[in-house]
Amino acid sequence: MTLLFGQDDIAKRLDKASQKMFIDTKWNGTVVVNYIKGTMSDDMRKEVTVNMQKKYGAITTVEFREVEESVIRENIVHDNYRDQYELESVDAYAASLRQQNHEEDSIYMIILPYGYDVYSRSDFGTGAYDFNFGQGARKTGIVVMSMHRLTPIYDAAAQALNSDWESATMVRNIANVATHEMGHVFGKNHCSDPKCIMFHSYSRFDVAKRSFDDVCPEHAAAQMMIERKADHAQSQASLKQIEALG
Protein backbone atom coordinates (compact mmCIF):
# COMPACT_ATOMS: atom_id res chain seq x y z
CA MET A 1 0.00 0.00 0.00
CA THR A 2 1.41 3.42 -0.98
CA LEU A 3 1.09 6.19 1.58
CA LEU A 4 0.91 9.85 0.64
CA PHE A 5 2.10 11.03 4.04
CA GLY A 6 4.99 10.34 6.39
CA GLN A 7 5.14 8.69 9.82
CA ASP A 8 4.91 12.06 11.62
CA ASP A 9 1.74 12.91 9.71
CA ILE A 10 0.29 9.52 10.60
CA ALA A 11 1.02 10.10 14.28
CA LYS A 12 -0.61 13.55 14.19
CA ARG A 13 -3.74 12.21 12.50
CA LEU A 14 -4.04 9.33 14.96
CA ASP A 15 -3.44 11.59 17.94
CA LYS A 16 -6.16 13.97 16.76
CA ALA A 17 -8.61 11.12 16.24
CA SER A 18 -7.81 9.63 19.64
CA GLN A 19 -9.11 12.76 21.37
CA LYS A 20 -12.63 11.59 20.58
CA MET A 21 -12.12 7.96 21.57
CA PHE A 22 -13.96 6.27 24.41
CA ILE A 23 -10.71 4.71 25.66
CA ASP A 24 -9.20 8.14 26.27
CA THR A 25 -12.13 9.54 28.24
CA LYS A 26 -13.40 7.20 30.92
CA TRP A 27 -12.31 3.64 30.10
CA ASN A 28 -11.17 1.54 33.06
CA GLY A 29 -9.30 -1.13 31.08
CA THR A 30 -12.14 -3.68 31.27
CA VAL A 31 -13.90 -5.40 28.36
CA VAL A 32 -17.21 -7.09 29.20
CA VAL A 33 -18.16 -9.76 26.63
CA ASN A 34 -21.84 -10.74 26.65
CA TYR A 35 -22.99 -13.87 24.80
CA ILE A 36 -26.04 -16.12 24.65
CA LYS A 37 -25.87 -18.86 27.26
CA GLY A 38 -24.12 -21.99 26.02
CA THR A 39 -22.86 -20.56 22.72
CA MET A 40 -19.19 -19.90 23.53
CA SER A 41 -16.84 -22.75 24.41
CA ASP A 42 -13.86 -22.48 26.73
CA ASP A 43 -11.60 -22.46 23.66
CA MET A 44 -13.50 -19.55 22.15
CA ARG A 45 -13.35 -17.48 25.33
CA LYS A 46 -9.66 -18.22 25.79
CA GLU A 47 -8.77 -17.40 22.17
CA VAL A 48 -10.67 -14.10 22.26
CA THR A 49 -9.09 -13.10 25.59
CA VAL A 50 -5.51 -14.03 24.70
CA ASN A 51 -5.51 -12.31 21.31
CA MET A 52 -7.24 -9.10 22.41
CA GLN A 53 -4.96 -8.68 25.42
CA LYS A 54 -1.87 -9.54 23.38
CA LYS A 55 -2.85 -6.99 20.75
CA TYR A 56 -4.08 -4.24 23.06
CA GLY A 57 -2.00 -4.27 26.21
CA ALA A 58 -4.19 -1.63 27.83
CA ILE A 59 -6.94 -4.26 28.24
CA THR A 60 -6.43 -5.40 31.82
CA THR A 61 -9.57 -7.50 32.25
CA VAL A 62 -11.83 -9.49 29.89
CA GLU A 63 -15.01 -10.64 31.62
CA PHE A 64 -17.48 -13.03 29.96
CA ARG A 65 -21.15 -13.00 30.91
CA GLU A 66 -23.93 -15.32 29.77
CA VAL A 67 -27.27 -13.82 28.76
CA GLU A 68 -30.50 -15.77 28.31
CA GLU A 69 -31.46 -16.05 24.65
CA SER A 70 -35.01 -14.88 25.38
CA VAL A 71 -33.62 -11.62 26.78
CA ILE A 72 -31.51 -11.01 23.69
CA ARG A 73 -34.44 -11.70 21.36
CA GLU A 74 -36.69 -9.31 23.28
CA ASN A 75 -34.23 -6.48 22.90
CA ILE A 76 -33.02 -6.66 19.30
CA VAL A 77 -34.83 -6.17 15.98
CA HIS A 78 -35.34 -9.01 13.51
CA ASP A 79 -36.09 -8.14 9.88
CA ASN A 80 -38.49 -10.86 8.71
CA TYR A 81 -38.02 -10.02 5.04
CA ARG A 82 -34.22 -10.27 5.19
CA ASP A 83 -34.22 -12.90 7.96
CA GLN A 84 -31.43 -10.93 9.63
CA TYR A 85 -31.01 -8.91 12.79
CA GLU A 86 -30.48 -5.18 12.71
CA LEU A 87 -26.96 -4.41 13.92
CA GLU A 88 -27.94 -0.99 15.25
CA SER A 89 -30.52 -2.55 17.57
CA VAL A 90 -27.88 -4.90 19.02
CA ASP A 91 -25.58 -1.92 19.51
CA ALA A 92 -28.38 -0.03 21.32
CA TYR A 93 -29.07 -3.05 23.54
CA ALA A 94 -25.38 -3.31 24.48
CA ALA A 95 -25.36 0.39 25.43
CA SER A 96 -28.53 0.04 27.53
CA LEU A 97 -27.17 -3.10 29.24
CA ARG A 98 -23.97 -1.26 30.13
CA GLN A 99 -25.96 1.64 31.57
CA GLN A 100 -28.25 -0.72 33.46
CA ASN A 101 -25.21 -2.35 35.07
CA HIS A 102 -23.67 1.06 35.90
CA GLU A 103 -20.51 0.15 33.97
CA GLU A 104 -20.27 3.12 31.61
CA ASP A 105 -16.47 3.06 32.02
CA SER A 106 -16.16 -0.44 30.48
CA ILE A 107 -16.05 -1.48 26.82
CA TYR A 108 -19.11 -3.62 26.13
CA MET A 109 -19.12 -6.38 23.52
CA ILE A 110 -21.94 -8.66 22.37
CA ILE A 111 -21.05 -11.82 20.43
CA LEU A 112 -24.02 -13.45 18.70
CA PRO A 113 -23.97 -17.14 17.64
CA TYR A 114 -24.92 -18.97 14.46
CA GLY A 115 -28.52 -18.14 13.57
CA TYR A 116 -28.05 -14.45 14.29
CA ASP A 117 -26.98 -13.02 10.94
CA VAL A 118 -26.70 -9.22 11.17
CA TYR A 119 -26.89 -6.31 8.74
CA SER A 120 -26.50 -2.57 9.11
CA ARG A 121 -29.18 -0.03 8.25
CA SER A 122 -26.43 2.25 6.93
CA ASP A 123 -25.80 -0.28 4.11
CA PHE A 124 -29.47 -0.71 3.26
CA GLY A 125 -30.24 0.27 -0.32
CA THR A 126 -26.60 0.94 -1.19
CA GLY A 127 -25.88 -2.57 -2.41
CA ALA A 128 -22.52 -2.37 -0.63
CA TYR A 129 -22.93 -5.21 1.87
CA ASP A 130 -25.76 -7.58 2.63
CA PHE A 131 -24.34 -8.64 6.02
CA ASN A 132 -21.81 -7.62 8.66
CA PHE A 133 -19.35 -9.63 10.69
CA GLY A 134 -19.54 -6.92 13.31
CA GLN A 135 -18.94 -3.31 14.27
CA GLY A 136 -16.76 -1.48 16.75
CA ALA A 137 -17.26 2.19 17.65
CA ARG A 138 -14.41 4.38 18.88
CA LYS A 139 -16.75 7.02 20.33
CA THR A 140 -18.98 4.69 22.36
CA GLY A 141 -16.76 1.74 23.25
CA ILE A 142 -19.46 -0.69 22.02
CA VAL A 143 -18.59 -3.78 19.95
CA VAL A 144 -21.09 -6.08 18.22
CA MET A 145 -20.20 -9.20 16.24
CA SER A 146 -21.88 -12.33 14.91
CA MET A 147 -20.46 -15.84 14.49
CA HIS A 148 -23.10 -16.67 11.88
CA ARG A 149 -20.99 -16.30 8.73
CA LEU A 150 -17.90 -17.70 10.46
CA THR A 151 -19.55 -21.06 11.15
CA PRO A 152 -18.70 -24.05 8.89
CA ILE A 153 -22.34 -25.16 8.65
CA TYR A 154 -23.26 -21.79 7.10
CA ASP A 155 -22.62 -23.08 3.57
CA ALA A 156 -22.78 -26.53 1.98
CA ALA A 157 -19.19 -26.47 0.72
CA ALA A 158 -17.88 -25.93 4.24
CA GLN A 159 -19.79 -28.90 5.62
CA ALA A 160 -17.37 -31.21 3.80
CA LEU A 161 -14.58 -29.52 5.76
CA ASN A 162 -16.33 -29.83 9.10
CA SER A 163 -13.30 -31.39 10.75
CA ASP A 164 -11.18 -30.61 13.78
CA TRP A 165 -9.09 -28.34 11.57
CA GLU A 166 -12.17 -26.42 10.42
CA SER A 167 -13.42 -26.07 13.99
CA ALA A 168 -10.05 -24.69 15.07
CA THR A 169 -10.18 -22.25 12.16
CA MET A 170 -13.61 -21.07 13.26
CA VAL A 171 -12.39 -20.41 16.80
CA ARG A 172 -9.43 -18.47 15.41
CA ASN A 173 -11.71 -16.50 13.09
CA ILE A 174 -13.98 -15.51 15.97
CA ALA A 175 -10.96 -14.16 17.86
CA ASN A 176 -9.77 -12.46 14.66
CA VAL A 177 -13.06 -10.60 14.14
CA ALA A 178 -13.24 -9.64 17.82
CA THR A 179 -9.68 -8.26 17.63
CA HIS A 180 -10.48 -6.44 14.37
CA GLU A 181 -13.59 -4.76 15.80
CA MET A 182 -11.69 -3.85 18.95
CA GLY A 183 -9.17 -2.15 16.66
CA HIS A 184 -11.91 0.28 15.63
CA VAL A 185 -12.52 1.10 19.30
CA PHE A 186 -8.80 1.88 19.54
CA GLY A 187 -9.07 4.25 16.57
CA LYS A 188 -7.96 2.06 13.67
CA ASN A 189 -9.63 2.33 10.27
CA HIS A 190 -9.92 -0.32 7.57
CA CYS A 191 -6.90 -1.38 5.54
CA SER A 192 -6.55 -2.46 1.90
CA ASP A 193 -3.91 -5.10 2.70
CA PRO A 194 -5.61 -8.55 2.93
CA LYS A 195 -3.02 -9.74 5.46
CA CYS A 196 -3.60 -6.89 7.91
CA ILE A 197 -5.86 -7.46 10.93
CA MET A 198 -7.77 -4.31 9.89
CA PHE A 199 -8.56 -5.52 6.36
CA HIS A 200 -12.29 -5.20 5.61
CA SER A 201 -13.14 -8.87 4.96
CA TYR A 202 -16.00 -9.99 2.73
CA SER A 203 -16.07 -13.69 3.68
CA ARG A 204 -14.87 -16.02 6.41
CA PHE A 205 -12.14 -17.16 4.02
CA ASP A 206 -10.86 -13.55 3.91
CA VAL A 207 -10.92 -13.47 7.71
CA ALA A 208 -8.82 -16.66 7.83
CA LYS A 209 -6.12 -14.96 5.72
CA ARG A 210 -5.79 -11.99 8.06
CA SER A 211 -2.85 -11.91 10.42
CA PHE A 212 -3.28 -10.74 14.00
CA ASP A 213 -0.46 -8.32 13.22
CA ASP A 214 -0.53 -4.90 11.54
CA VAL A 215 1.43 -5.37 8.33
CA CYS A 216 0.76 -1.93 6.81
CA PRO A 217 2.69 1.23 7.86
CA GLU A 218 -0.33 3.20 9.05
CA HIS A 219 -1.62 0.54 11.38
CA ALA A 220 1.87 -0.31 12.59
CA ALA A 221 2.17 3.34 13.65
CA ALA A 222 -1.26 3.17 15.30
CA GLN A 223 -0.23 0.03 17.20
CA MET A 224 2.92 1.78 18.47
CA MET A 225 0.77 4.59 19.86
CA ILE A 226 -1.56 2.11 21.56
CA GLU A 227 1.39 0.32 23.14
CA ARG A 228 2.84 3.62 24.37
CA LYS A 229 -0.50 4.50 25.95
CA ALA A 230 -0.62 1.08 27.62
CA ASP A 231 2.92 1.52 28.98
CA HIS A 232 2.01 4.98 30.27
CA ALA A 233 -1.14 3.67 31.97
CA GLN A 234 0.84 0.88 33.63
CA SER A 235 3.48 3.34 34.81
CA GLN A 236 0.83 5.61 36.32
CA ALA A 237 -0.76 2.64 38.09
CA SER A 238 2.63 1.61 39.51
CA LEU A 239 3.29 5.14 40.76
CA LYS A 240 -0.09 5.20 42.54
CA GLN A 241 0.73 1.90 44.23
CA ILE A 242 4.09 3.22 45.40
CA GLU A 243 2.46 6.42 46.70
CA ALA A 244 -0.17 4.37 48.53
CA LEU A 245 2.57 2.42 50.30
CA GLY A 246 3.90 5.74 51.49
Side-chain angles (χ1 to χ4, degrees), residues 58-206:
I59 298 176
T60 57
T61 305
V62 180
E63 181 179 341
F64 290 85
R65 296 179 187 170
E66 290 188 325
V67 181
E68 293 293 338
E69 185 169 18
S70 59
V71 175
I72 291 283
R73 285 184 176 274
E74 288 172 3
N75 287 278
I76 63 177
V77 177
H78 180 261
D79 186 315
N80 293 326
Y81 177 75
R82 298 174 64 101
D83 193 21
Q84 290 177 297
Y85 290 87
E86 185 184 280
L87 190 150
E88 286 80 3
S89 71
V90 187
D91 188 280
Y93 170 61
S96 66
L97 185 61
R98 181 171 66 182
Q99 184 177 25
Q100 175 185 319
N101 292 334
H102 305 291
E103 295 176 322
E104 288 87 350
D105 53 356
S106 297
I107 291 174
Y108 253 53
M109 175 183 285
I110 289 185
I111 300 181
L112 296 173
Y114 176 78
Y116 285 78
D117 199 17
V118 297
Y119 79 100
S120 173
R121 280 200 316 259
S122 62
D123 296 329
F124 185 74
T126 66
Y129 313 106
D130 59 1
F131 76 96
N132 290 79
F133 284 121
Q135 173 180 282
R138 70 173 66 181
K139 291 184 179 180
T140 63
I142 297 291
V143 178
V144 173
M145 64 166 285
S146 168
M147 301 183 203
H148 186 77
R149 306 252 177 171
L150 300 173
T151 308
I153 61 174
Y154 171 70
D155 58 82
Q159 291 183 29
L161 298 174
N162 195 3
S163 60
D164 291 339
W165 177 87
E166 184 68 13
S167 296
T169 301
M170 185 189 75
V171 171
R172 183 185 183 280
N173 283 352
I174 290 168
N176 191 294
V177 172
T179 305
H180 169 99
E181 300 303 343
M182 192 61 67
H184 290 311
V185 176
F186 278 87
K188 296 182 180 182
N189 296 318
H190 283 138
C191 177
S192 60
D193 191 325
K195 295 181 180 179
C196 183
I197 185 65
M198 296 311 297
F199 177 69
H200 192 167
S201 299
Y202 300 95
S203 74
R204 67 188 186 87
F205 300 105
D206 287 337

